[in-house]
Amino acid sequence: MAFSPFSWLLGHFSLDIGIDLGTANTLVHVRGKGIVISEASYVAVNKRSKEPIAIGDAAKEMVGRTPANVETIRPLRDGVISEFEITQAMLEYFIGKAHQQSIVPIPRPRVVVGIPAGVTEVEKRAVYDASKAAGARVTYLIEEPVAAALGAGLAIDEVRGSMVVDIGGGTSEVAVMSMGGVVTSRSLRVAGDELDEDIVQYIRNKYNLLIGIRMAEDVKKTIGSAFRLQEEKTMTLRGRNLVTGLPEAIEVSSIELREATENSVQTIIDTVRDALDETPPEILSDLMDTGICLAGGGSLLQGLDDRLTDELKVRSWVAEDSISCVARGAGIALEDLNKWKDLFVGLERHSSRH
Ligand code: ADP
Ligand code: MG
């Protein structure tokens, strides 16, 4: 993109929107304003007509409580876009909402969307089309771990290597970067959601108690951990006793929860270890200085940083405001499109002004 006074002006007056289209949460960053939307990636639809009834947090609120004719859908659940039209409806809704909030009703926005690494061409096309349909003047796609690294403030354009582990709801993504490019990467369909399911299963097996997935997520966030805690804690869980069929409350400890989620946590750690295994020695030596940066909501599991440091012998640290790294990274990429142009994936050649 050559410099021209026109593009300079446009850059100053247009609305720049960075979007993290996550498996669990969608975040929208607007240049000059920061994060303006942070909502669950859920859509509630009428089962028969497939028309959306609610989008975002309002739809997540309905999970496990819907009547027969309503279904709640997570269109990106496993890091793949399983429901194109529903993903499009969601993206349009969020872009529209961010656009409405802008005071000056100027032009159609420039949009950078963070997408899970490894999505197919068809899926990329679906995101691109949705963004266009939502009024974007120009759309760029960026892989989430790359955006996460930018948002976490890693100097990924330097010759020195850096590593980011982005743990979301449906996928965990590991990327080693240097000179603005990806050296090694790994994507795994084990992340926060899997821990929730582990907890439901564990409580069911041990106590014959069926709890809801949202309660499992809640207890994970409150007392879940990946490393022994200075002070172990307990919490009350409510559900249905599967023998009597009646409601029941039990007390669980953080030690039990650690046991419940151990396999999945270990799987994530082993994936990071595999990525390290494949990293060239010069970069490995850089990583001993820069450490492993953890991003995404799943990185907030207590003690995960300590556990990684302990097992991999490389200092691991959680990025500041780790949940919004991808959206902020997309925003950073928009601020200097020219500098970061190599980070965008596929399809950008189709973008056009019109
Ligand atoms: P995605 O990028 O896939 O949309 P996010 O980065 O938003 O996902 O992370 C969502 C995941 O993070 C969920 O599984 C959620 O339960 C988990 N999470 C959020 N906060 C915490 C916390 N404090 N402790 C453990 N897990 C958390
Ligand atoms: Mg994410």
Side-chain angles (χ1 to χ4, degrees):
M1 201 179 292
F3 176 85
S4 78
F6 179 66
S7 64
W8 180 83
L9 260 174
L10 216 53
H12 274 72
F13 289 105
S14 74
L15 186 65
D16 284 344
I17 299 181
I19 300 180
D20 169 8
L21 194 57
T23 65
N25 296 294
T26 298
L27 278 76
V28 181
H29 178 277
V30 170
R31 181 167 177 180
K33 283 191 174 178
I35 304 289
V36 297
I37 296 171
S38 167
E39 292 201 39
S41 306
Y42 281 70
V43 181
V45 297
N46 180 310
K47 261 189 190 163
R48 214 172 308 143
S49 67
K50 288 273 170 189
E51 281 299 312
I53 296 166
I55 296 180
D57 287 347
K60 187 177 183 186
E61 198 58 36
M62 297 174 183
V63 172
R65 298 184 173 125
T66 49
N69 62 333
V70 177
E71 185 185 5
T72 51
I73 294 178
R74 289 177 61 184
L76 295 144
R77 194 181 178 109
D78 299 310
V80 289
I81 297 165
S82 49
E83 309 260 2
F84 285 0
E85 273 152 33
I86 293 170
T87 305
Q88 294 201 343
M90 194 172 82
L91 198 54
E92 283 179 37
Y93 170 77
F94 287 127
I95 293 178
K97 203 167 164 183
H99 205 176
Q100 273 167 20
Q101 289 180 8
S102 77
I103 318 159
V104 213
I106 332 186
R108 300 193 289 148
R110 298 195 295 185
V111 176
V112 168
V113 188
I115 51 166
V119 301
T120 63
E121 280 302 310
V122 179
E123 290 169 333
K124 281 185 215 160
R125 166 60 67 187
V127 173
Y128 179 78
D129 287 348
S131 173
K132 196 169 156 189
R137 173 162 47 94
V138 53
T139 302
Y140 298 91
L141 308 179
I142 188 169
E143 291 193 340
E144 279 165 358
V146 175
L150 265 182
L154 301 184
I156 62 171
D157 52 334
E158 282 183 7
V159 178
R160 246 152 68 112
S162 51
M163 182 178 208
V164 68
V165 180
D166 177 9
I167 305 171
T171 59
S172 297
E173 320 223 7
V174 184
V176 175
M177 277 160 287
S178 167
M179 297 168 66
V182 176
V183 179
T184 316
S185 69
R186 277 275 192 289
S187 178
L188 173 74
R189 302 241 166 115
V190 175
D193 293 343
E194 192 83 9
L195 305 190
D196 303 345
E197 279 155 30
D198 291 342
I199 293 170
V200 171
Q201 205 59 43
Y202 180 92
I203 300 296
R204 185 186 179 132
N205 293 343
K206 186 161 178 184
Y207 295 102
N208 267 318
L209 185 76
L210 182 65
I211 60 167
I213 198 81
R214 298 203 46 198
M215 177 156 291
E217 182 180 14
D218 217 33
V219 70
K220 172 189 73 177
K221 288 184 184 175
T222 316
I223 64 167
S225 60
F227 204 63
R228 60 182 181 276
L229 300 176
Q230 295 235 326
E231 202 178 319
E232 301 291 350
K233 296 171 198 145
T234 61
M235 186 172 152
T236 304
L237 295 183
R238 289 193 275 180
R240 177 176 52 235
N241 182 305
L242 288 167
V243 179
T244 65
L246 299 174
E248 189 179 85
I250 58 150
E251 188 109 321
V252 287
S253 72
S254 46
I255 301 172
E256 289 177 289
L257 282 183
R258 209 151 54 231
E259 195 181 313
T261 53
E262 177 53 26
N263 278 343
S264 300
V265 168
Q266 191 64 54
T267 306
I268 295 172
I269 293 172
D270 289 344
T271 303
V272 181
R273 190 197 306 271
D274 285 350
L276 281 177
D277 255 0
E278 261 186 31
T279 303
E282 298 294 355
I283 292 184
L284 207 52
S285 117
D286 296 338
L287 296 183
M288 292 172 77
D289 289 330
T290 53
I292 299 174
C293 171
L294 307 182
S299 69
L300 297 176
L301 183 71
Q302 284 183 69
L304 189 62
D305 46 355
D306 294 336
R307 173 76 179 271
L308 279 159
T309 305
D310 186 66
E311 280 204 28
L312 305 178
K313 311 294 174 218
V314 180
R315 180 179 57 93
S316 305
W317 49 284
V318 180
E320 198 173 316
D321 200 359
S322 68
I323 290 194
S324 67
C325 283
V326 171
R328 283 183 290 122
I332 291 170
L334 268 170
E335 269 173 34
D336 196 342
L337 287 170
N338 208 28
K339 177 171 179 189
W340 302 112
K341 63 179 185 299
D342 291 341
L343 296 180
F344 300 125
V345 290
L347 292 179
E348 74 265 41
R349 64 189 179 278
H350 296 292
S351 62
S352 57
R353 301 226 157 99
H354 43 106

